[in-house]
Amino acid sequence: DAGVTQSPTHLIKTRGQQVTLRCSPISGHKSVSWYQQVLGQGPQFIFQYYEKEERGRGNFPDRFSARQFPNYSSELNVNALLLGDSALYLCASSSPRYGQLYNEQFFGPGTRLTVL
Amino acid sequence: KNEVEQSPQNLTAQEGEFITINCSYSVGISALHWLQQHPGGGIVSLFMLSSGKKKHGRLIATINIQEKHSSLHITASHPRDSAVYICAVMDSNYQLIWGAGTKLIIKP
């Protein structure tokens, strides 16, 4: 069974541009979370989606948005890119069981975004 | 003060040594994760704990909810264990709060 997949693996953009990152969760997983990891730092939570609804949002500006599709794949969009948006963007999927609000997260390989 | 503190930040050991990495947290949690990150960025979930102890091969993770402390142990360490080990806690808002990570180097 395939793990979490992300595309593209690497991306170079210039300031002011817009970017869309994609994530496909493990089959059967209905929750997807997005994280930003700036070089040398730990990951920071951006969004969590469950059953196509936003469940949680981290402390990121409105330039960051996301959505989850009926097949549970997800897209992260970042508008008006800044140099500081250069980072590894990680997607994780999980499958919360009934009555359980959390479960183990499985991570994709990440998309490395460079903003010039 | 960070909500999740890991120690040590860096650890270098010889092959075969017993390794301990510690994690303390200050928030109420529903679960604690230990994760491994290799150069290049890929993150692998090692354990998810809400109480007690878990073992997987040479890896052991423990958690003390009352003391808000968890440890990750590696027995018979090997150079391929070299990686960054990250402790992350899931808070009541379902967000993972990450520690800064412990960079482990195992020398042959």
Side-chain angles (χ1 to χ4, degrees):
Chain A
D1 189 19
V4 178
T5 59
Q6 291 185 242
S7 64
T9 53
H10 295 85
L11 199 53
I12 298 175
K13 292 283 190 179
T14 56
R15 281 179 296 176
Q17 286 188 309
Q18 175 265 342
V19 69
T20 298
L21 311 181
R22 296 176 176 83
C23 172
S24 292
I26 290 172
S27 178
H29 284 192
K30 299 180 179 180
S31 179
V32 169
S33 298
W34 287 95
Y35 299 89
Q36 180 199 63
Q37 186 177 26
V38 174
L39 192 64
Q41 299 180 21
Q44 298 291 315
F45 172 76
I46 311 176
F47 288 109
Q48 184 185 29
Y49 276 78
Y50 176 65
E51 286 280 16
K52 301 178 287 292
E53 291 189 0
E54 183 182 300
R55 171 185 270 187
R57 172 186 282 256
N59 188 23
F60 278 80
D62 292 342
R63 298 185 296 109
F64 289 76
S65 63
R67 54 181 176 169
Q68 187 177 31
F69 298 99
N71 66 353
Y72 303 110
S73 67
S74 178
E75 286 183 352
L76 174 70
N77 295 286
V78 187
N79 294 322
L81 284 167
L82 302 174
L83 295 179
D85 296 330
S86 295
L88 179 70
Y89 289 84
L90 294 159
C91 170
S93 77
S94 64
S95 180
R97 291 187 285 271
Y98 178 77
Q100 215 177 17
L101 300 177
Y102 60 88
N103 206 343
E104 184 173 6
Q105 297 201 347
F106 296 83
F107 288 84
T111 293
R112 187 161 296 281
L113 172 66
T114 301
V115 181
L116 302 176
Chain B
K1 190 180 190 307
N2 293 332
E3 293 169 306
V4 180
E5 297 268 3
Q6 279 187 244
S7 63
Q9 283 186 299
N10 296 280
L11 179 58
T12 300
Q14 290 297 129
E15 183 174 356
E17 286 189 37
F18 181 81
I19 303 299
T20 295
I21 300 171
N22 295 300
C23 175
S24 296
Y25 53 91
S26 59
V27 295
I29 70 166
S30 53
L32 182 144
H33 297 251
W34 281 103
L35 308 116
Q36 180 192 58
Q37 187 171 31
H38 281 281
I43 290 183
V44 175
S45 176
L46 300 174
F47 296 103
M48 186 185 76
L49 294 165
S50 54
S51 64
K53 175 181 175 178
K54 286 189 176 180
K55 185 176 189 294
H56 189 197
R58 295 181 294 106
L59 301 177
I60 303 165
T62 63
I63 187 169
N64 185 318
I65 297 294
Q66 287 73 32
E67 295 185 3
K68 295 189 174 182
H69 180 269
S70 176
S71 294
L72 176 69
H73 305 286
I74 305 175
T75 62
S77 59
H78 190 277
R80 65 174 175 265
D81 296 328
S82 299
V84 175
Y85 291 84
I86 305 171
C87 168
V89 300
M90 179 150 302
D91 69 7
S92 56
N93 294 317
Y94 322 127
Q95 294 187 22
L96 269 184
I97 305 173
W98 302 71
T102 295
K103 185 174 181 180
L104 174 66
I105 297 173
I106 304 295
K107 293 185 175 180

